[in-house]
Every structure is written in structure tokens, then in C-alpha cells.
Amino acid sequence: MHILWHESADEAAYEAARLSRVFNQRSPARFPLGIAKPTNESDIIAAIKLALQCNCRIAVRAGGHSFPVWSVQDHSILLDLGNFKVLEVDEAARSAKVSPSITSKELNDVLIEKHGLMFPGGHCPDVGLGGFLLQGGMGWNCRNWGWACESVEAIKVVTMQGESVFCNSQQNADLYWAARGAGPAFPAVVTEFHLRLIPYPKNGFRSSGYIYPRNRYREAFSWVLEITPTVDTDTEITVVTRYMEGQADVCVCVYFVCMKTTPEEAEAALHYIHTQQSRPSDTLTEWYCREDSLENLYDKQAKANPKGHRYHTDSAYIHNDADVVTVLEDAFLGLPRGKSFAFWSAMNPWSRRQLPDMALSMRSDHYFAIYALSEDIRDDVQHQSWVHKVMKTIENHSVGTYLGDSDLQKMERYWDSNHARYLMEICDKWDPKSVMCRYQPRRDELETKN
């Protein structure tokens, strides 16, 4: 396997490899010692053993969608898994085996077209399954179907000793536990995810949307909060604010995506929402029970999360007993002009269920995230300042943060204290020399934060 070494490589070739497939253009000034592009597990083992010989670390890039660009680290060999592709489907067993660089869209394109199945992967089509699943995976209809990592039945990894290891609930169960929520703290390189699949609801895929002006924020959001506990359990609920074409001010967008077996079931679920007396009627535009598809939703998500932009992100799970409408008002309505957006996702009833035994542990009924984005580096200071200011006002109402929408620049609660302590024990066991470039919160800060 060829390794592109920083000290001897052509500068342009090295820089292209350093930032290959990196989504967030706000890339860090960090420079790996070498960059490898493995095509199989043996290449990964060889690279790790070379890193041990060279006394340097290992960093991994699956899809490149990490907002803090975690794959780019100093004094490391970067394993860019973009050329390592495994996608095998067992239709009868409703299962799939995939490598980390396979994206949600790549997987679902094959599943839907050839097998009539789907996987609740990331909403953005080009998110690699590696980072997505390790962080937990807030996938399609998460409030009802659960987190995507709950559908991971087993994994294969290469350890920081260069050994291939199979992990599930019976074998190497601690690594399997960590692989569902540890994110960039995971102490090994995943080479395979074994996934449980579900039928694709082609005939009953419908959506409704209600777009309100800024001055109807409180009424619209209050209505959504009121009805969420009684909405059909195959329906995803999201509230988004953004600047829409033709509108001078922020718009409040309420989306319901229903995934039922039949059109009649979908219409019944969305009709219940549409006919609620508490629903504000003065929309800028609306649609009801429109035929939809995962392909169409992927296209919309790609436009809302464009490539070639500089992203500043953060997130919070809001306390169940908070005045959510008031707590999030400034964040929702104070967006910088342009392509930035903020969103709330309903997490009830999943947030009320007993959690599986896994690293993912932060949750509430209310998930909130902000994305400040621009193509212009001159907007960075303003956007970063705005994100920090907004999240500071939310801090006292938050129970924790989701790794997938965090930039990891400040100490947050990504796990509860018991899960964090166990995760550190697992990391100390499997990677005692910290060969893997992994997120390592300070123990004293974790204790005081929980």
C-alpha cells in the first residue's frame, strides 16, 4: 500500500489528499505525517503496524463529513477509507455488511432498487456510515425507530495492536458497546458494520409541510409541541427556520414525513395532523399528504447542506420540562442572513424508552441544532461568535450534546458520567498508548459536568 509522506510528497498532491472528501471547508491547520488509502483490511493492518514502528498515531476518514474535520491530525498517518468499499446484502435475513465509507445514499440506493429494503441512515446523502454510526446516528424517523446504531448487530475492527477482531454482544462486547455512541473517542478502526434492515415504505411514503412567517413562530412551534406525543409512530417531525427564496425574513418551516405501508395509512396519519384545531392557518405556503420518496428527501437535504461551505455547528438536548418555545426563540429567529438554519427534532417517544446497553446515553424529548454556514472566510468570526452566544443562552436548559452536530471545541456532556467512565476504561484497555487520534475529555471536567 502506497503512503503519501508529507516531507517528500508533491505539495499540491499532498494537500489534495489531506483534504480529500472533507465536507467542512473550515479545515484545520493540521498536517498528517502520511496519508494512506487502503482498499482492504490487510492494508489497514499494515498501516497501523507502520504507525507503531514510526511512533506516530492513526487517524481515520470515513465519509469526511465530520464538522471538526477530526481525520486531519498532526503526527499521524491518516487512513482515508474512501477506496475501501464493502456492501453485501442478505435480503432474506434483512441484513447488510458495509464498510465505513459507504454513504447512506449509496446503501439505500442499492437496498431500495434491488431489495425493497432501507436503512435509517443519515439525512444528508453523502454522510459516511462510519462516523455516523459511531456517533449514534440520528437517522430517518429516529423518534420512533430509534437511533441507527441500535440496528448495528456486530462490527469488525482492527485494534491499535494491528489485530482484526469481531465484536458483538457476546464477543468483545465492550468494543461493541463503545461502537454505538463513542464517536471520535472509539479506540479502534472499524472495517465492517453488520446492519439490521427494514422494509422500504414505497407505497406509503408521504409528507406534509407548513411554512409560516416569522411572527407566527410561537403559535406554530407550540402547536407542534402539543401534538407530537399523539402523532403516528411512523412519522418524523421537524421544525426548521431559514431564509427562503422570495422572503425577506426568517421563515418557520414545519415538516412531517410519514413512512407507512399503504397510502391509506399515510393519509390517515397526516390527516390527523392537518385537521388539528390548534394548527395555525395563516401559512405562507403549505402542502398536505404529498407523495414522497427517500430519493427526493436526499436531494432536498443536499441542497440545504451544500458542499464547499464553511460550517459552524452546535447542538443540545433541551430539558423536557423547559419552556422550549421561549428557550429556543432567539436561536431560531436570530439566524445570520444567507444559508444558515436551525432545527428542532421531536424525540418522543424514543426519549421515554429504556435505552439499550450502549455508549449513547444523552437524550431528551427535544433535540436542537444550529448550522451557521457560508462560502466566505470573512464570515467565520461572526458565525462562530453567534453560535457560541446562542448556545450560551441555551446552556442552562440543556441535558447534553450530540457528537454529530458538535465541533468539539469546548467541553460538553456527550455521555452521562457512568457511560463516560466506562468508555474511558475501554479506551485504556484497547488503546493504552493512545495510538488512535481520539477525543479524550479530561476526567476531572467530566466529573464536574455531570
Side-chain angles (χ1 to χ4, degrees):
M1 177 185 57
H2 175 70
I3 294 183
L4 189 68
W5 294 104
H6 187 199
E7 63 180 10
S8 58
D10 173 78
E11 183 176 350
Y14 172 84
E15 192 62 7
R18 184 179 79 98
L19 300 179
S20 171
R21 300 181 304 113
V22 166
F23 179 75
N24 189 358
Q25 295 303 294
R26 195 167 57 89
S27 53
R30 299 192 294 261
F31 300 89
L33 295 176
I35 301 168
K37 295 188 175 183
T39 60
N40 53 51
E41 184 183 73
S42 296
D43 287 346
I44 294 172
I45 291 172
I48 290 173
K49 290 184 175 180
L50 179 60
L52 293 172
Q53 294 173 10
C54 297
N55 194 30
C56 65
R57 302 182 298 163
I58 287 288
V60 181
R61 177 177 300 152
H65 230 275
S66 163
F67 288 113
V69 195
W70 192 257
S71 60
V72 178
Q73 300 286 344
D74 290 328
H75 198 64
S76 71
I77 293 177
L78 164 60
L79 298 182
D80 186 333
L81 304 183
N83 294 333
F84 177 36
K85 296 286 188 180
V86 175
L87 203 174
E88 300 175 9
V89 180
D90 185 334
E91 183 176 324
R94 289 186 180 175
S95 65
K97 181 170 68 176
V98 300
S99 53
S101 66
I102 296 293
T103 68
S104 294
K105 188 176 187 302
E106 284 177 326
L107 175 58
N108 276 319
D109 281 351
V110 171
L111 293 177
I112 293 169
E113 181 179 349
K114 296 183 177 181
H115 307 284
L117 300 170
M118 71 171 285
F119 182 72
H123 289 71
C124 292
D126 54 350
V127 169
L129 288 170
F132 173 74
L133 290 171
L134 284 174
Q135 291 171 148
M138 188 177 290
W140 295 105
N141 199 25
C142 188
R143 69 173 278 259
N144 299 300
W145 297 347
W147 287 68
C149 70
E150 296 179 61
S151 295
V152 175
E153 298 184 320
I155 58 170
K156 276 188 71 178
V157 308
V158 177
T159 69
M160 290 301 98
Q161 293 75 43
E163 298 177 349
S164 178
V165 173
F166 181 81
C167 314
N168 61 15
S169 58
Q170 286 79 44
Q171 298 174 250
N172 302 301
D174 52 354
L175 280 177
Y176 175 62
W177 180 93
R180 294 168 296 152
F186 190 69
V189 179
V190 179
T191 57
E192 290 178 4
F193 292 96
H194 296 216
L195 307 177
R196 183 173 64 254
L197 311 175
I198 60 176
Y200 178 65
K202 178 180 179 179
N203 296 325
F205 213 121
R206 300 290 187 274
S207 66
S208 293
Y210 305 89
I211 313 302
Y212 293 94
R214 173 195 180 98
N215 62 4
R216 300 298 279 168
Y217 161 79
R218 297 189 70 88
E219 291 84 354
F221 198 6
S222 296
W223 162 60
V224 175
L225 292 173
E226 174 192 323
I227 66 171
T228 288
T230 59
V231 168
D232 171 81
T233 55
D234 290 317
T235 304
E236 180 176 283
I237 308 172
T238 312
V239 175
V240 182
T241 58
R242 57 164 48 99
Y243 289 90
M244 301 186 71
E245 187 175 351
Q247 298 295 325
D249 212 337
V250 166
C251 294
V252 180
C253 312
V254 181
Y255 300 116
F256 300 93
V257 177
C258 190
M259 293 169 266
K260 304 295 287 185
T261 304
T262 67
E264 293 77 15
E265 290 175 321
E267 183 170 7
L270 294 174
H271 182 264
Y272 169 79
I273 296 167
H274 191 70
T275 56
Q276 290 295 303
Q277 291 186 348
S278 56
R279 179 174 67 84
S281 59
D282 49 347
T283 56
L284 295 169
T285 186
E286 65 181 66
W287 60 94
Y288 162 65
C289 201
R290 176 187 293 171
E291 187 171 351
D292 217 326
S293 67
L294 205 57
E295 181 68 26
N296 181 52
L297 294 176
Y298 276 142
D299 287 344
K300 290 181 177 179
Q301 288 290 335
K303 292 175 183 176
N305 297 267
K307 296 180 179 180
H309 285 63
R310 307 173 68 81
Y311 284 76
H312 299 260
T313 67
D314 212 339
S315 66
Y317 298 103
I318 308 301
H319 277 287
N320 290 349
D321 58 358
D323 178 357
V324 179
V325 175
T326 301
V327 168
L328 299 181
E329 185 166 11
D330 288 343
F332 264 135
L333 301 182
L335 289 173
R337 289 197 169 273
K339 300 177 183 179
S340 300
F341 63 94
F343 71 91
W344 167 93
S345 290
M347 301 305 295
N348 183 345
W350 177 88
S351 54
R352 305 297 181 101
R353 298 174 188 157
Q354 183 175 349
L355 276 174
D357 188 21
M358 59 184 182
L360 182 73
S361 51
M362 284 296 157
R363 61 178 181 165
S364 76
D365 292 349
H366 311 286
Y367 178 73
F368 174 75
I370 47 178
Y371 281 42
L373 61 142
S374 168
E375 295 175 272
D376 194 337
I377 191 173
R378 292 172 295 183
D379 293 329
D380 279 0
V381 173
Q382 176 200 355
H383 282 183
Q384 187 169 38
S385 175
W386 177 76
V387 169
H388 288 173
K389 177 184 175 181
V390 163
M391 296 310 296
K392 190 68 177 177
T393 67
I394 295 172
E395 189 176 81
N396 291 335
H397 306 281
S398 169
V399 300
T401 302
Y402 172 45
L403 283 160
D405 289 322
S406 171
D407 62 10
L408 304 179
Q409 291 187 20
K410 60 184 188 300
M411 180 58 62
E412 291 285 6
R413 288 166 288 177
Y414 300 114
W415 311 274
D416 69 32
S417 57
N418 291 331
H419 285 67
R421 282 192 291 270
Y422 184 42
L423 178 56
M424 284 191 234
E425 290 174 10
I426 294 169
C427 291
D428 289 344
K429 171 186 172 182
W430 288 97
D431 184 21
K433 297 182 179 179
S434 296
V435 177
M436 174 68 81
C437 295
R438 48 186 170 82
Y439 178 77
Q440 299 186 60
R442 295 200 305 271
R443 297 170 192 264
D444 59 334
E445 290 193 75
L446 272 171
E447 292 301 322
T448 58
K449 279 278 186 180
N450 288 276

